[in-house]
Amino acid sequence: MTLDRSFQVQLRQRVLFTQDVFSPENTTLASVCCDTLQRRVIAFIDSGVHQAHPDIGERLANYLGARAKIGEPVPELKMVEVVSGGEEAKNSIDVCEQVMAATDRYGIDRKSFVLAIGGGAVLDAVGLGATLAHRGVRLIRMPTTTLAMDDAAMGVKNGINKFGKKNFSGTFSVPWAVIADEQFLTTLTDQQFLCGFSEAVKIGCLKDPSLFNLIEQNASKIVARDPLISMAIIKRSAELHLDHIAQGSDAFETNEARPLDFGHWAAHKLESMSTYEIAHGDAVAIGIALDCEYAVRMKMLPQADSNRIIASLKALRLPTWHPLLSQIDQLLRGLEEFREHLGGRMNITLLKSIGESTEVHQMDSAVVAASVKALAH
Ligand SMILES: NC(=O)c1ccc[n+]([C@@H]2O[C@H](COP(=O)([O-])OP(=O)(O)OC[C@H]3O[C@@H](n4cnc5c(N)ncnc54)[C@H](O)[C@@H]3O)[C@@H](O)[C@H]2O)c1
Ligand SMILES: [Zn+2]
């Protein structure tokens, strides 16, 4: 007997931008987790966030207490735990195991909540734990960096690094909700703040020339951390990332093309080559610059477009070069690792112009080397 059925699963990704999420009057968090069956919640806080906001656990507890007092069926807060922030969260299974252990200890069932508050790395690692425990409990992501708000938290992926490879272990799963509180951004360093804009440049180059123009024209305001323009760009980038996932009909990446990974083959390799000293956002800026130089040399992208993109990255104080790029043989191994991660044929997204991309299935090593050299000047 052969049985063969197709079926569909309806998924939903909710993203809510807000300000001061734990002020007692703010209804955002309560609106996504109230349940007449009185659920439970456990919270994991990025150590960097905790250092900058030491009262955050207390504020969360007070918030839920205040909402409960006015009769709202908010979940009961069972635990707040601080976890390693930054890429360290993804470089071992520890954070993931912390989440599973707490899920067990505090009786978190599939209808209760895991709240992850942090940068993209903590969201990825806590998210993996939340998707493994009971085959998935409800995850609420609270991104606290520009990059997590304009890209990482919008995705339906989580994961950790393994075997020296970025995101080797992970799953696809859709969070219960994403809540972005822009006030968290005030405590980022300038480098942390700016590096998230490389993903906005990326998505603008791929899908929305007007977003790219906005970034290009306002780079100095972004560098000055003007909240109005910065948030407008972060929100537009978030929307484009989410639309790609929700409307691109390939949320779980079964097709060949992965346009959102423009600039990422070299970025991921540089991150692991530097043992994650290079931040993801910085690595993406370098990867974009490299693939622009390459596309120009392959006569795919006009020089003027490449110049504008690289100038914009530089105006955002993002790097477009790193000494590790000179280790060409090792860098090029990133292409095969990238292919292996995606499966099937090699598929690299390159630009034809700002706003238009295409796929190539091989890259010429000598041209990559020439592109690296050009960036060094
Ligand atoms: N799942 C996805 O679809 C997806 C997409 C893009 C990127 N990512 C991943 O996201 C990670 C990068 O995320 P990131 O750029 O947010 O960096 P990050 O998570 O490494 O955080 C950078 C640093 O900022 C600190 N921090 C975070 N929020 C803070 C705050 N509000 N105030 C003070 N310090 C704070 C952290 O402790 C850390 O030291 C990478 O691992 C990348 O692979 C995942
Ligand atoms: Zn990225």
Side-chain angles (χ1 to χ4, degrees), residues 46 48-49 52-53 85-87 90 119-122 124 144-145 147-148 151-152 155 157 166-167 184 187-188 192 199 280:
D46 181 314
V49 176
H53 307 263
E87 206 63 23
K90 291 177 65 171
V122 162
D124 272 1
T144 58
T145 63
L147 191 138
D151 179 354
K157 293 185 279 188
K166 182 88 181 162
N167 300 331
F184 279 116
T187 53
L188 296 172
Q192 287 164 345
E199 302 280 13
H280 180 71

Side-chain angles (χ1 to χ4, degrees), residues 46-66:
D46 181 314
S47 57
V49 176
H50 187 254
Q51 202 177 1
H53 307 263
D55 60 345
I56 186 170
E58 200 184 324
R59 294 197 68 213
L60 169 63
N62 290 342
Y63 172 81
L64 292 173

Side-chain angles (χ1 to χ4, degrees), residues 14-277:
R14 283 179 291 181
V15 179
L16 302 103
F17 275 86
T18 188
Q19 296 226 31
D20 203 3
V21 67
F22 298 134
S23 83
E25 312 77 50
N26 192 315
T27 55
T28 317
L29 177 59
S31 75
V32 300
C33 64
C34 274
D35 192 320
T36 47
L37 286 173
Q38 270 279 320
R39 306 296 178 190
R40 296 173 169 190
V41 59
I42 52 176
F44 294 89
I45 302 170
D46 181 314
S47 57
V49 176
H50 187 254
Q51 202 177 1
H53 307 263
D55 60 345
I56 186 170
E58 200 184 324
R59 294 197 68 213
L60 169 63
N62 290 342
Y63 172 81
L64 292 173
R67 304 303 306 181
K69 227 181 205 167
I70 57 168
E72 274 184 350
V74 287
E76 184 190 352
L77 181 64
K78 300 299 285 185
M79 183 220 76
V80 177
E81 207 162 284
V82 177
V83 295
S84 308
E87 206 63 23
E88 197 186 325
K90 291 177 65 171
N91 278 336
S92 77
I93 191 88
D94 293 359
V95 169
C96 188
E97 292 212 321
Q98 263 174 273
V99 176
M100 289 195 282
T103 302
D104 174 47
R105 193 174 328 126
Y106 296 103
I108 300 300
D109 65 19
R110 282 188 187 170
K111 299 227 166 25
S112 284
F113 302 91
V114 167
L115 174 60
I117 305 175
V122 162
L123 299 186
D124 272 1
V126 172
L128 184 57
T131 195
L132 293 178
H134 298 308
R135 299 200 175 101
V137 297
R138 291 174 172 177
L139 172 71
I140 300 175
R141 290 184 187 148
M142 253 185 216
T144 58
T145 63
T146 49
L147 191 138
M149 286 186 196
D150 76 1
D151 179 354
M154 303 303 125
V156 291
K157 293 185 279 188
N158 44 58
I160 56 172
N161 310 323
K162 189 104 179 119
F163 309 122
K165 290 174 180 164
K166 182 88 181 162
N167 300 331
F168 183 89
S169 305
T171 60
F172 290 98
S173 82
V174 184
W176 182 252
V178 180
I179 300 175
D181 177 352
E182 52 192 89
Q183 279 180 0
F184 279 116
L185 304 182
T186 57
T187 53
L188 296 172
T189 62
D190 286 345
Q191 180 269 338
Q192 287 164 345
F193 183 86
L194 293 171
C195 86
F197 286 87
S198 59
E199 302 280 13
V201 169
K202 173 200 78 181
I203 200 91
C205 286
L206 290 169
K207 289 176 180 276
D208 185 358
S210 65
L211 174 62
F212 177 80
N213 293 344
L214 194 66
I215 299 170
E216 185 181 41
Q217 284 155 17
N218 290 284
S220 58
K221 284 192 181 166
I222 299 168
V223 169
R225 300 176 69 151
D226 176 309
L228 269 185
I229 191 70
S230 301
M231 283 317 297
I233 289 163
I234 287 168
K235 286 179 182 170
R236 179 66 185 141
S237 169
E239 187 178 22
L240 288 163
H241 278 93
L242 184 57
D243 284 349
H244 179 84
I245 289 157
Q247 293 154 16
S249 60
D250 191 29
F252 291 172
E253 299 176 359
T254 49
N255 296 345
E256 261 195 351
R258 279 222 357 226
L260 298 188
D261 275 346
F262 167 51
H264 277 58
W265 75 266
H268 283 169
K269 189 64 190 168
L270 282 172
E271 286 181 78
S272 67
M273 282 167 76
S274 72
T275 53
Y276 302 99
E277 282 299 311

Side-chain angles (χ1 to χ4, degrees), residues 318-339:
L318 290 167
T320 54
W321 161 259
H322 192 281
L324 284 172
L325 282 172
S326 326
Q327 298 182 26
I328 281 287
D329 290 344
Q330 214 185 331
L331 180 72
L332 286 169
R333 277 203 280 281
L335 280 170
E336 173 54 19
E337 287 171 12
F338 193 73
R339 187 206 64 74

